Amino acid sequence: MIKIFSYNKNKLKEVPLEELEKNSRGALWIDFESPTKGEINSIKEKYGIHPTTEEDMMLNHTRIKYEEFEENTFVVFKGIKALGEYEIETYNISF
């Protein structure tokens, strides 16, 4: 699933993938949660995503990273989820 948010003129709104335009104004936050190959291809075609970034988007367990490209930035970091009083689970957050 991919959720896309547009931030423009101090307003944040969710944008459906089908309505996304490459030259949209403002900043975009594209949140990937177990995306399908088709969803990734849609984003790749619109934004020229680097092939290595495309591979990372398909993986649930990639290393923590920050990659800055001319037109976009890809970030992966760890989230922490409490499972019990003394037990936690980590998971990747990428955007």
Side-chain angles (χ1 to χ4, degrees):
M1 174 187 356
I2 293 179
K3 289 186 179 180
I4 303 166
F5 298 92
S6 173
Y7 182 76
N8 190 15
K9 298 181 183 177
N10 295 324
K11 293 182 182 178
L12 181 68
K13 69 175 186 175
E14 188 167 358
V15 180
L17 179 61
E18 300 79 31
E19 295 177 19
L20 193 59
E21 297 176 13
K22 181 173 181 174
N23 297 319
S24 62
R25 297 179 185 235
L28 292 177
W29 174 291
I30 303 175
D31 179 30
F32 298 94
E33 184 177 330
S34 301
T36 66
K37 186 71 171 164
E39 289 172 326
I40 289 177
N41 283 338
S42 295
I43 296 297
K44 179 182 173 183
E45 290 171 11
K46 289 179 190 310
Y47 294 100
I49 302 297
H50 191 276
T52 303
T53 302
E54 178 185 3
E55 289 175 16
D56 289 339
M57 290 180 343
M58 292 297 291
L59 300 173
N60 287 329
H61 300 288
T62 189
R63 63 183 171 82
I64 295 171
K65 63 172 68 182
Y66 173 88
E67 296 176 330
E68 191 169 339
F69 302 96
E70 188 174 320
E71 301 262 337
N72 57 61
T73 302
F74 181 67
V75 179
V76 177
F77 63 93
K78 292 284 185 191
I80 300 172
K81 177 180 175 180
L83 298 177
E85 188 174 353
Y86 300 106
E87 187 178 6
I88 63 168
E89 176 181 85
T90 63
Y91 57 95
N92 280 356
I93 300 173
S94 30
F95 57 92

